[in-house]
């Protein structure tokens, strides 16, 4: 099997690879530890990541921490949920994402009937619980589900509150609510945002949806036990193993103006700056639907991301989701003033020059100029480059499962000595050393 094929089929199931075996269960779906067994098929009351990136699943008075393991009593971690109200369940929960108010960012909110609880590091914050209307005016009580939606995925930092098939979109900054009805989406008993993807859980199934339109694309519903936990006789993709770091071969890597870092390999991509919540590959066409054959190179400039494939340039606007700009793709020569096969391209922060690597040469193009032409053409000491990026630590050029670091593009162009090769690590790409 070729490396490219392996890249597609060998998923980085980090969160799922170390799961504990399910405990024996009775007909009611309870394990020997006298707690519910989610492998029996459960409808969750609420799901949310915590401030450390661990996903919490709630059912009745129990919770599971992460995608593996057995149930534990929820009041062992969040005592006040039971002590103050003796309710024994959670209606909805989400992890706050607020760029405007760091004091609220990463706090966990739980909703029980008409009350809201706010936690950080499993400690109830002063002044809580409150009435829901005090913190979220216009949001109803007795919710079914809730999920955060950061700016760039929604128009503004928002929270989606679900009650039946009505969605209350709460703008965190203005504290206003817009109401939508998504009759095509199942009634969500819980919801989760994971790695820029949004999931509505219903019964023991889930449906992935667009957080702006509610649109569902693909074959849904799917069984949650095949994707969000490790259960015997469940799983997607067969007997996969985690990808070895020695097998990594990138086609492109780029960081956009909002700090999102993506790597591309064959027909898949992976977001790298979300390592707290996990690393997982997805098909490129899920976010950039026109890139059906992968990419040769990519870089970000202003609020746009450029992809090069063959002799074509695709430019996507990175506002709310990625949209191909009208009129693209365009010819490489017309757009960037270069011809031939492009191996890599990178742009340093706050600069206007894209550095395009072709074979053992680096050609610079000023993106602020019209027309765009090559302003410098120099030999570089490393050939066979696959991808490149430029950041605060300098320039990294990737070749297979290794990379070379230079302090700047100028030193890459001026150097005649190849530095020591560094190995791609698990911390960088989520692979297995």
């Amino acid at each position: 099997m070729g490396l490219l094929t392996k890249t597609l089929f060998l998923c980085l199931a980090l969160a799922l690879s170390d799961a504990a075996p399910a405990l024996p269960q009775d007909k009611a779906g309870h394990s020997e530890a006298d707690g519910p067994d989610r492998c029996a098929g459960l409808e969750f009351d609420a799901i949310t990541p915590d401030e450390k990136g661990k996903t919490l699943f709630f059912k009745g008075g129990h919770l599971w921490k992460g995608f593996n393991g057995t149930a534990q009593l929820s009041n062992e971690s969040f005592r006040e949920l039971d002590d103050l109200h003796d309710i024994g369940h959670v209606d909805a929960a989400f992890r706050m994402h607020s760029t405007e108010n760091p004091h609220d960012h990463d706090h966990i909110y739980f909703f029980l009937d008409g009350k809201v609880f706010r936690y950080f590091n499993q400690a109830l914050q002063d002044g809580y619980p409150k009435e829901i209307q005090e913190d979220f005016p216009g949001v109803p009580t007795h919710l079914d589900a809730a999920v955060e939606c950061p700016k760039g995925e929604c128009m503004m930092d928002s929270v989606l509150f679900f009650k039946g098939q009505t969605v209350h979109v709460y703008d965190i900054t203005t504290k206003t609510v817009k109401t939508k009805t998504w009759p095509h989406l199942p009634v969500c008993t819980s919801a989760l945002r994971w790695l820029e993807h949004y999931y509505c859980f219903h019964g023991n199934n889930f449906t992935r949806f667009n957080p702006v339109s509610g649109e569902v694309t693909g074959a849904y519903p799917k069984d949650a036990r095949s994707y969000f936990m490790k259960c015997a006789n469940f799983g997607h993709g067969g007997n996969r193993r985690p990808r070895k770091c020695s097998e990594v071969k990138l086609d492109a890597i780029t960081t956009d103006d909002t700090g999102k870092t993506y790597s591309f390999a064959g027909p898949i991509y992976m977001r790298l700056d979300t390592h707290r919540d996990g690393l997982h590959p997805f098909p490129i066409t899920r976010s950039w639907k026109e890139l059906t054959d992968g990419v040769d190179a990519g870089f970000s400039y202003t609020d746009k991301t450029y992809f090069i494939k063959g002799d074509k340039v695709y430019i996507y606007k990175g506002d709310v989701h990625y949209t191909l700009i009208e009129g693209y793709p365009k010819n490489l020569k017309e757009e960037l003033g270069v011809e031939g096969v492009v191996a890599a391209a990178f742009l340093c922060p706050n600069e206007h020059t894209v550095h395009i690597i072709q074979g053992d040469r680096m050609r610079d193009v000023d993106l602020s100029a019209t027309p765009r032409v090559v302003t410098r053409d120099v030999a570089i000491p490393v050939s066979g480059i696959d991808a490149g990026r430029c950041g605060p630590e300098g320039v990294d050029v990737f070749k297979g499962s290794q990379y070379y670091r230079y302090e700047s593009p100028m030193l890459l162009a001026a150097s005649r000595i190849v530095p020591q090769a560094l190995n791609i690590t698990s911390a960088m790409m989520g692979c297995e050393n």
Side-chain angles (χ1 to χ4, degrees), residues 99-119:
T99 55
E100 300 292 332
N101 191 349
H103 177 70
D104 293 336
H105 186 70
D106 273 353
H107 286 66
I108 313 302
Y109 288 77
F110 296 103
F111 298 83
L112 288 77
D113 293 339
K115 300 290 185 181
V116 57
F117 296 69
R118 188 173 82 164
Y119 282 84

Side-chain angles (χ1 to χ4, degrees), residues 120-242:
F120 190 73
N121 286 330
Q122 299 185 10
L124 184 68
Q125 301 295 282
D126 292 342
Y128 287 85
K130 294 180 179 180
E131 298 294 326
I132 291 176
Q133 293 290 320
E134 291 184 61
D135 262 9
F136 302 95
V139 173
T141 60
H142 300 277
L143 294 162
D144 291 327
V147 65
E148 72 279 8
C149 188
K151 182 179 180 180
E153 297 171 30
C154 283
M155 293 300 297
M156 302 298 295
D157 284 339
S158 307
V159 183
L160 310 182
F161 292 99
F162 295 81
K163 188 166 184 176
Q165 289 181 312
T166 301
V167 182
H168 303 267
V169 183
Y170 182 84
D171 187 314
I172 293 171
T173 301
T174 64
K175 296 184 180 297
T176 57
V177 176
K178 293 183 179 180
T179 302
K180 302 180 179 181
T181 302
W182 291 340
H184 54 282
L185 194 66
V187 174
C188 308
T189 60
S190 56
L192 172 67
R193 170 184 176 264
W194 189 61
L195 306 182
E196 299 183 288
H197 291 69
Y198 291 78
Y199 302 96
C200 162
F201 288 78
H202 45 97
N204 58 273
N205 296 320
F206 72 93
T207 296
R208 182 170 58 86
F209 66 95
N210 183 301
V212 176
S213 65
E215 179 184 6
V216 175
T217 303
Y220 289 95
K222 296 179 180 179
D223 196 314
R225 292 169 290 183
S226 294
Y227 294 82
F228 289 93
M229 56 208 71
K230 184 79 169 184
C231 295
N233 301 319
F234 289 90
H236 64 292
N239 296 319
R240 284 188 303 257
R241 61 177 176 82

